[in-house]
Amino acid sequence: MKSEQDNLQKKVASRMNRRYFLSKTSLGIGSAALASLLKPLGGFAENTGSNTGLSGGGILGKPHFTPKAKRVIYLFQSGGPSQLDLFDYKPILQKRNGEELPGSVRGEQRLTGMTAFQKSFPMAGAQFSFKQQGSNGMWMSELMPYTSEMVDDLCFVRSLHTEAINHDPAITFFQTGSQQAGRPCIGSWLSYGLGSDNENLPSFCVLLSRGLEGGQPLYSRLWGNGFLPSLHQGVQFRSGKDPVLYLNDPAGMSKTSRRRMLDALGELHTLQYQKILDPEIDSRIAQYEMAYHMQTSVPETMDISNEPDYIYDMYGEDSRKPGSFAANCLLARRLIEKDVKFVQLYHQGWDQHGNLPKDIKAMAKSTDQASAALVKDLKQRGLLDDTLVIWGGEFGRTNYSQGKLTKTNYGRDHHPRCFTAWMAGGGTKAGLVYGSTDEFGYNIAESPVHVHDFQATLMHLLGVDHEKLTFKHQGRRYRLTDVHGEVVKDIIA
């Protein structure tokens, strides 16, 4: 065995001396930052037995049961959209606009520091008209005309609730199952468990956009792998000439040179793995390999210039603007056409503590047409049945005004007790409105859905038993839903 290793080391040394290796890899080493990468594509990383879910089938080998969805597009609306101005019509708030919210409704529930010391809690009725839409008579705001046309294809959940009352822990809770940072996110869990169906693109891709200036900050740990192997973290795609940072080779390096370097690195990593059996060695070399393949696949996928005009018209004029929500929705469709498992969009700007009537109108305009177009586009391509689309934020907004209520203006504070999200395709019941809130829109009246229930249901639709996909870390077995979560079977077709 020792003589074989000596021969291999000599072979590598003859191909690349130390000075050449250090000078060249220092220029291109940034490509190791790429992650969420599907499986080891070079033969040197395939048979290490490290059991980290690097194969195309993931650590599970195959789903626990027949999946209804093969992939997910999650349109996360960062900041907390007001359900009362968009989806959850409460005429009593308009009738009693400006009156004090009854103490019996609010009770002793927790408030944020922004309204905890308000002397008055005047109810604020939506300043937008609502109409019943679709065969189910779903009440929809005038702010969402395009989504209103699609309600028969959507499944609305009006009874979501969470324990988190501030943005960062609330978003972290939705994405990772914990309010504290450090856990793997949904996309990473699915990449780890199910692997990938594409050898040339990451299984987990992230796209960011902004509807209004400012907005709550987003941190890369929201699409991080936590304690899972590093190749399962999300890869952020950006607008501009370099969609993925550090992907391109430095000047003067040819594809042949890159290929030879990767082969040499693979042989060295194999030797290292045989000595210390560290699974991160597999992850590292898989990331190098994926970067190599992405140099061709990413530019091709991100180039939307060949999309026909009717597609741009369907997604809206913003779809021609790189980095916009509409352009990202179009890119999401292209990514799932390439069998990317999980595409996460974040759209910033929904945090309307004041000036809500004006700002929420702008936010709705930036998302409504493109969100509806995405569902319509997937449907016309035969992709909606096995693609789950999700639209929602980290919590809702209060039924009372934060600060002064006037005839033309009001704001709403964070409200974790009840809020609305919608889903489409992927085995959900089209045209369903699930759950309800009380007449004031402050508490859940029927069929509550906790964050962990939502996560368990998402995984169930992808064929994963949320209680069985676990990872042992520091002596404990972790899962996305912690020790909670029930599948909401009533929303599954």
Side-chain angles (χ1 to χ4, degrees), residues 35-37 50-54 58-59 175-176 182-195 203-204 221 223-234 278-284 287 459 468-474 476-480:
S36 172
L37 310 174
S50 58
N51 200 34
T52 57
L54 302 182
I59 197 69
Q175 298 299 296
T176 72
R183 302 277 186 91
C185 64
I186 299 172
S188 294
W189 277 112
L190 293 175
S191 174
Y192 171 70
L194 298 176
S203 60
F204 176 19
R221 58 178 170 76
W223 50 94
N225 58 294
F227 43 69
L228 294 178
S230 59
L231 82 166
H232 299 296
Q233 78 175 52
D278 182 0
E280 271 300 304
I281 295 174
D282 281 353
S283 294
R284 188 180 308 126
Q287 290 170 23
M459 298 186 79
K468 294 181 179 179
L469 180 56
T470 62
F471 188 90
K472 191 172 183 180
H473 174 65
Q474 296 183 341
R476 175 191 166 187
R477 293 197 178 274
Y478 288 85
R479 68 185 205 223
L480 173 64

Side-chain angles (χ1 to χ4, degrees), residues 154-375:
L154 309 181
C155 175
F156 288 87
V157 180
R158 282 179 170 168
S159 52
L160 280 166
H161 65 102
T162 179
E163 290 105 51
I165 200 169
N166 290 311
H167 293 287
D168 186 68
I171 297 177
T172 304
F173 195 26
F174 250 102
Q175 298 299 296
T176 72
S178 172
Q179 294 187 51
Q180 284 76 44
R183 302 277 186 91
C185 64
I186 299 172
S188 294
W189 277 112
L190 293 175
S191 174
Y192 171 70
L194 298 176
S196 172
D197 300 317
N198 187 318
E199 296 184 349
N200 298 316
L201 286 169
S203 60
F204 176 19
C205 299
V206 180
L207 299 162
L208 276 60
S209 60
R210 179 173 294 168
L212 294 173
E213 289 300 319
Q216 292 299 319
L218 296 172
Y219 304 102
S220 59
R221 58 178 170 76
L222 293 172
W223 50 94
N225 58 294
F227 43 69
L228 294 178
S230 59
L231 82 166
H232 299 296
Q233 78 175 52
V235 174
Q236 183 181 346
F237 283 35
R238 295 167 168 83
S239 60
K241 65 177 183 178
D242 294 318
V244 179
L245 297 180
Y246 313 115
L247 182 62
N248 296 326
D249 290 330
M253 175 170 280
S254 67
K255 293 287 287 185
T256 301
S257 298
R258 170 65 75 178
R259 182 67 266 167
R260 290 178 59 197
M261 180 180 293
L262 289 176
D263 290 341
L265 279 171
E267 292 171 346
L268 291 171
H269 277 80
T270 297
L271 292 175
Q272 186 182 17
Y273 180 82
Q274 290 170 352
K275 291 180 179 179
I276 62 177
L277 300 178
D278 182 0
E280 271 300 304
I281 295 174
D282 281 353
S283 294
R284 188 180 308 126
I285 199 61
Q287 290 170 23
Y288 283 126
E289 283 290 333
M290 176 57 71
Y292 178 79
H293 285 262
M294 285 171 65
Q295 287 176 339
T296 300
S297 60
V298 167
E300 176 188 352
T301 303
M302 298 293 285
D303 180 11
I304 62 175
S305 62
N306 59 349
E307 291 285 341
D309 287 340
Y310 82 89
I311 289 293
Y312 286 116
D313 293 340
M314 184 167 64
Y315 280 84
E317 60 183 17
D318 281 353
S319 62
R320 297 181 183 272
K321 301 175 184 177
S324 67
F325 179 79
N328 286 349
C329 283
L330 181 51
L331 283 172
R333 189 218 78 205
R334 292 173 66 90
L335 287 167
I336 66 100
E337 283 183 306
K338 300 287 188 180
D339 288 319
V340 171
K341 184 74 66 181
F342 196 92
V343 183
Q344 176 79 67
L345 276 66
Y346 289 98
H347 190 57
Q348 297 170 276
W350 287 99
D351 192 25
Q352 278 90 52
H353 290 275
N355 202 30
L356 184 143
K358 178 183 177 182
D359 287 351
I360 199 172
K361 187 175 182 179
M363 288 301 298
K365 183 179 180 180
S366 71
T367 60
D368 175 45
Q369 183 174 355
S371 300
L374 176 61
V375 175

Side-chain angles (χ1 to χ4, degrees), residues 445-491:
E446 182 183 20
S447 304
V449 177
H450 186 265
V451 173
H452 288 310
D453 301 330
F454 164 83
Q455 294 162 338
T457 306
L458 186 161
M459 298 186 79
H460 181 89
L461 290 168
L462 287 154
V464 178
D465 185 333
H466 71 104
E467 295 183 351
K468 294 181 179 179
L469 180 56
T470 62
F471 188 90
K472 191 172 183 180
H473 174 65
Q474 296 183 341
R476 175 191 166 187
R477 293 197 178 274
Y478 288 85
R479 68 185 205 223
L480 173 64
T481 52
D482 197 32
V483 295
H484 309 283
E486 296 289 337
V487 175
V488 187
K489 295 181 179 180
D490 288 340
I491 71 172

Side-chain angles (χ1 to χ4, degrees), residues 341-468:
K341 184 74 66 181
F342 196 92
V343 183
Q344 176 79 67
L345 276 66
Y346 289 98
H347 190 57
Q348 297 170 276
W350 287 99
D351 192 25
Q352 278 90 52
H353 290 275
N355 202 30
L356 184 143
K358 178 183 177 182
D359 287 351
I360 199 172
K361 187 175 182 179
M363 288 301 298
K365 183 179 180 180
S366 71
T367 60
D368 175 45
Q369 183 174 355
S371 300
L374 176 61
V375 175
K376 182 179 179 180
D377 200 5
L378 293 172
K379 186 177 181 179
Q380 70 184 11
R381 295 169 188 270
L383 294 168
L384 186 60
D385 287 345
D386 57 7
T387 302
L388 176 63
V389 182
I390 303 168
W391 192 103
E394 65 268 36
F395 42 53
R397 314 301 294 198
T398 56
N399 63 355
Y400 58 81
S401 178
Q402 177 178 338
K404 187 176 181 180
L405 172 68
T406 70
K407 291 183 178 181
T408 58
N409 202 9
Y410 55 95
R412 299 191 191 276
D413 198 5
H414 310 163
H415 190 63
R417 298 298 301 173
C418 56
F419 55 105
T420 302
W422 60 255
M423 293 177 279
T428 57
K429 287 183 179 178
L432 176 69
V433 179
Y434 184 81
S436 63
T437 57
D438 63 25
E439 62 178 343
F440 294 95
Y442 199 90
N443 296 293
I444 293 173
E446 182 183 20
S447 304
V449 177
H450 186 265
V451 173
H452 288 310
D453 301 330
F454 164 83
Q455 294 162 338
T457 306
L458 186 161
M459 298 186 79
H460 181 89
L461 290 168
L462 287 154
V464 178
D465 185 333
H466 71 104
E467 295 183 351
K468 294 181 179 179

